[in-house]
């Protein structure tokens, strides 16, 4: 029998990475950082622990996937009345996540630690397959915690341990190096601090930059008598605010309140006008879509419009100076109002639809379409981030013809009156009786990531994206003003792209097989609305 030499078994430590991986990371990082990464990994993987601790850190790491942990925290903050803190945290997280995952990992990259070097009990069931630097989980955690702390130091202090635990969980589960976590924390905190440095004022500015509207006197009502108030009870359910009905019943006990359900605003108003005590004033409490539909009825009946902000964004109410229920009711009781511009929207020559803020074609309707699917489970804020991420992977430009010029465009926005010159998404008007439409076209040659970044709603967040070169270049944006505009919208992937007006999604059934035509026309001073005055 052949003699076989038997050697004693010895324990051989597995390397954290192969020579190929080491060569890749060596090109990115100094030797000292590589040594520190290996030393930290050896200390963590060689340390003692329990199955309960390993499971807890793995569960925490999974909870922070796609920012779910922080969106839940933002919802709690909003319910506790810390809406500004929640909003700043979510916006900081959104920018940090984009920079970390869509920019940082592509520019720097690097390989993650090998799974074989991680104790079995600590491994995630589904290890991430993306590149390593920086840690997106850590960037999101740091951005959210620091962003919240800028508005509410106490809330930020309570969130800091959770953010630190999420960052450590990425080391404990072996999916990141120490340098990835440190880089992610620096990126996230930096994004939040830059956002804070750009200004401590409102994240959603409402001051007009165009003409403020023609001041007019309107019928007064001290207690709401003569007011028919339409209420959309489902509007604004994703924000924390004072109960509007409690304020209405206290300040306007004489108002007739009707909740919108199956009946349209026009049906409700027509019935009231046919009654024995027809209303003198038409009021609405809801979001921009409900306000727009009610404004159409106000125009057709000649009733002045009282807008009580009751939605999530309330773009038109803020533009008209009715930034709160109390300010709007003050204007009603004083009989103060404005005569403002609106626009008529026609699709393929059909019946006109009243527009108060803007019409959108392209990437924004895609964004709204996806957001609506997730709003109930994730709130509008969380659904917005999910929608931005999804369309960032799959959205396509739309073929459009504007002013006899055919092109591929990411978006076409047609705003009522002049808008902020720095924004592509003109969702909140800044003028009230400029007598023009403000048109913005984002060219389809723009990178998809920058097209998604153009959806930002505020000047300050837009300024952050411009500072890090994520905002679309001005060379890619065509802007002009006109009293009317026609946009021919072609088919995309064999289907007609949807349209939005005032944040409401409209699915189009074109008459022809080659697309449809959108016509928007300004209606100067077409609506009388109660207002204490813009900027007052």
């Amino acid at each position: 029998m052949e003699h076989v030499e038997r050697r004693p078994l010895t324990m051989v430590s597995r390397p954290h990475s192969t020579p190929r991986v080491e060569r890749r990371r060596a090109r990115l990082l100094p030797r000292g950082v590589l040594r520190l990464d290996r030393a930290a990994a050896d200390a963590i993987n060689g340390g003692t622990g329990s199955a309960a601790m390993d499971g807890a850190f793995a569960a925490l790491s999974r909870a922070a996937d796609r920012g779910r942990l922080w969106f839940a925290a933002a919802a709690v903050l909003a319910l506790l009345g810390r809406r500004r803190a929640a909003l700043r945290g979510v916006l900081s997280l959104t920018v940090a996540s984009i920079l970390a995952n869509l920019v940082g990992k592509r520019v720097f990259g690097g390989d993650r630690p090998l799974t074989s070097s991680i104790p079995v009990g600590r491994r995630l069931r589904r290890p991430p397959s993306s590149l390593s630097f920086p840690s997106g989980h850590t960037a999101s955690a740091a951005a959210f915690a620091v962003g919240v702390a800028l508005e509410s130091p106490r809330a930020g202090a309570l969130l800091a341990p959770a953010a630190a635990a999420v960052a450590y969980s990425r080391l404990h589960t072996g999916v990141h190096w120490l340098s990835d976590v440190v880089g992610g924390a620096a990126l996230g905190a930096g994004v939040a601090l830059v956002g804070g440095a750009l200004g401590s004022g409102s994240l959603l500015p409402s001051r007009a930059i165009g003409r403020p509207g023609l001041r007019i006197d309107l019928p007064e009502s001290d207690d709401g008598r003569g007011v028919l108030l339409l209420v959309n009870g489902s509007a604004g359910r994703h924000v924390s605010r004072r109960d509007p009905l409690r304020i209405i019943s206290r300040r306007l006990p004489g108002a007739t309140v009707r909740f919108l359900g199956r009946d349209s605003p026009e049906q409700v108003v027509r019935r009231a006008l046919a009654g024995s005590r027809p209303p003198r004033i038409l009021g609405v409490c809801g979001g921009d879509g409900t306000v727009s539909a009610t404004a159409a009825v106000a125009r057709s009946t000649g009733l002045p419009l009282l807008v009580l902000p009751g939605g999530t964004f309330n773009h038109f109410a803020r533009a008209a100076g009715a930034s709160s229920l109390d300010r709007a009711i003050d204007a009603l009781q004083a009989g103060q109002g404005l005569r403002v511009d609106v626009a008529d929207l026609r699709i393929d020559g059909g019946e006109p639809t009243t527009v108060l803020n803007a019409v959108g074609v392209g990437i924004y309707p895609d964004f709204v379409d996806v957001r609506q699917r997730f709003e109930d489970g994730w709130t509008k804020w969380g659904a917005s981030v999910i929608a931005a991420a999804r369309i960032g992977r799959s959205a396509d430009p739309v073929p459009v013809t504007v002013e006899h010029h055919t092109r591929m465009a990411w978006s076409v926005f047609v705003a009522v009156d002049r808008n902020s010159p720095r924004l592509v998404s003109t969702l909140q008007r800044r003028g009230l009786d400029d007598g023009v439409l403000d048109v913005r076209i984002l060219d389809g040659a723009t990178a998809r990531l920058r097209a998604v970044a153009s959806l930002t709603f505020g000047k300050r967040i837009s300024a952050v994206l411009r500072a890090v070169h994520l905002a679309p270049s001005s060379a890619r944006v065509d802007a002009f003003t006109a009293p009317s505009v026609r946009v021919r919208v072609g088919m995309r992937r064999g289907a007609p792209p949807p349209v939005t007006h005032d944040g409401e999604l409209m699915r189009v059934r074109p008459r022809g097989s080659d697309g449809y035509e959108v016509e928007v026309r300004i209606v100067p001073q077409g609506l009388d609305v109660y207002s204490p005055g813009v900027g007052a």
Side-chain angles (χ1 to χ4, degrees):
M1 177 181 291
E2 182 179 359
H3 176 70
V4 178
E5 181 181 3
R6 297 184 181 274
R7 297 181 181 179
L9 294 175
T10 58
M11 297 298 293
V12 179
S13 61
R14 293 179 179 270
H16 291 291
S17 54
T18 65
R20 175 180 59 83
V21 172
E22 286 294 334
R23 286 195 297 270
R24 286 185 181 181
R25 298 187 72 242
R27 290 197 297 267
L28 298 172
L29 298 172
R31 292 182 180 179
V33 174
L34 295 174
R35 287 196 296 268
L36 184 60
D37 279 346
R38 289 193 294 270
D42 288 339
I44 294 172
N45 294 334
T48 59
S50 64
M53 178 185 296
D54 294 343
F57 278 117
L60 180 62
S61 187
R62 290 194 300 272
D65 287 348
R66 301 183 183 276
R68 290 194 296 262
L69 175 65
W70 309 120
F71 294 135
V76 172
L77 287 171
L79 290 173
L80 295 175
R82 298 282 190 245
R83 183 190 170 202
R84 284 178 59 88
L87 178 57
R88 189 179 285 277
V90 168
L91 291 175
S92 300
L93 178 155
T94 301
V95 176
S97 179
I98 291 174
L99 291 177
N101 295 305
L102 299 184
V103 179
K105 290 183 185 296
R106 293 182 180 181
V107 173
F108 299 102
D111 295 270
R112 296 176 185 266
L114 290 178
T115 304
S116 59
S117 67
I118 314 302
V120 174
R122 296 184 180 183
R123 299 176 189 174
L124 295 178
R125 289 196 296 268
R126 294 181 179 179
S129 58
S130 61
L131 296 175
S132 186
F133 186 90
S135 166
H137 281 65
T138 305
S140 296
F144 184 81
V146 174
V148 169
L150 291 175
E151 295 290 340
S152 175
R154 181 177 298 179
L158 292 174
L159 287 168
V166 168
Y168 174 74
S169 75
R170 306 304 283 173
L171 297 172
H172 194 85
T173 56
V175 294
H176 275 295
W177 303 97
L178 177 62
S179 58
D180 302 335
V181 171
V182 172
L187 173 64
V191 165
L193 292 173
V194 168
L198 288 173
S200 58
S202 170
L203 291 173
L204 298 170
S206 61
R207 186 175 181 84
I209 63 170
R211 289 168 34 162
L214 176 66
R215 298 290 305 178
I216 57 174
D217 293 327
L218 293 175
E220 302 176 12
S221 180
D222 290 334
D223 60 358
R225 279 180 292 185
V227 177
L228 173 62
L229 181 60
L230 309 184
V231 177
N232 182 355
S234 64
R237 64 186 184 275
H238 301 130
V239 295
S240 175
R241 61 167 187 269
R242 298 164 64 191
D243 182 4
L245 293 179
R246 184 174 301 176
I247 299 173
I248 291 167
S249 62
R250 175 174 56 85
R251 298 200 59 185
L252 301 176
T256 300
V257 178
R258 294 287 183 266
F259 286 90
L260 294 172
R262 295 182 178 179
D263 291 339
S264 68
E266 182 174 7
Q267 291 172 320
V268 176
V269 174
R270 295 295 179 187
R271 281 199 301 267
L273 288 173
S276 58
R277 301 179 63 182
R280 299 180 297 118
I281 300 163
L282 179 57
V284 57
C285 180
D288 285 298
T290 306
V291 173
S292 177
T294 308
V297 182
R299 291 178 60 198
S300 65
T301 59
L303 295 175
L305 184 65
L306 170 68
V307 179
L308 302 181
T312 303
F313 298 114
N314 304 307
H315 291 307
F316 178 73
R318 292 201 324 272
S323 55
S324 70
L325 273 76
D326 285 319
R327 283 175 58 82
I329 294 173
D330 288 344
L332 169 68
Q333 293 175 339
Q336 297 176 335
L338 297 173
R339 186 159 290 162
V340 304
D341 297 342
V342 296
D344 280 338
L345 162 67
R346 296 177 187 268
I347 297 179
D348 277 344
E351 291 298 315
T353 299
T354 295
V355 178
L356 298 180
N357 297 309
V359 175
V361 174
I363 195 171
Y364 182 68
D366 297 338
F367 169 81
V368 173
D369 190 12
V370 177
R371 185 182 68 188
Q372 288 180 348
R373 303 178 207 166
F374 292 91
E375 282 183 5
D376 289 339
W378 291 85
T379 78
K380 184 165 284 188
W381 310 109
S384 296
V385 177
I386 294 172
R390 289 203 169 194
I391 65 173
R393 294 195 300 266
S394 61
D396 293 322
V398 175
V400 297
T401 302
V402 185
E403 299 292 313
H404 308 292
H405 182 196
T406 300
R407 66 170 78 180
M408 299 298 292
W410 281 112
S411 65
V412 179
F413 280 96
V414 183
V416 182
D417 292 329
R418 289 186 173 87
N419 214 277
S420 172
R422 293 284 192 152
L423 300 180
V424 177
S425 302
T426 53
L427 302 180
Q428 181 183 333
R429 60 198 283 182
R430 299 298 191 260
L432 292 172
D433 69 340
D434 296 330
V436 295
L437 301 172
D438 193 340
V439 184
R440 311 285 170 88
I441 306 170
L442 178 59
D443 192 88
T446 304
R448 181 182 284 113
L449 176 59
R450 296 192 176 189
V452 174
S454 74
L455 294 175
T456 179
F457 296 170
K459 291 189 294 185
R460 292 184 175 87
I461 300 302
S462 179
V464 172
L465 297 179
R466 285 197 302 273
V468 297
H469 304 292
L470 279 180
S473 166
S474 59
R476 296 293 187 186
V477 180
D478 285 347
F480 62 91
T481 59
S484 65
V485 64
R486 293 176 184 265
V487 181
R488 185 72 192 176
V489 183
M491 306 293 272
R492 183 180 58 183
R493 297 192 295 270
V499 178
T500 55
H501 81 88
D502 300 326
E504 294 293 301
L505 189 70
M506 301 175 65
R507 300 194 184 277
V508 181
R509 294 183 178 180
R511 295 178 178 176
S513 60
D514 60 343
Y516 58 90
E517 183 178 80
V518 173
E519 180 187 6
V520 187
R521 186 175 299 274
I522 196 74
V523 181
Q525 299 183 357
L527 179 67
D528 291 348
V529 60
Y530 285 90
S531 170
V534 178

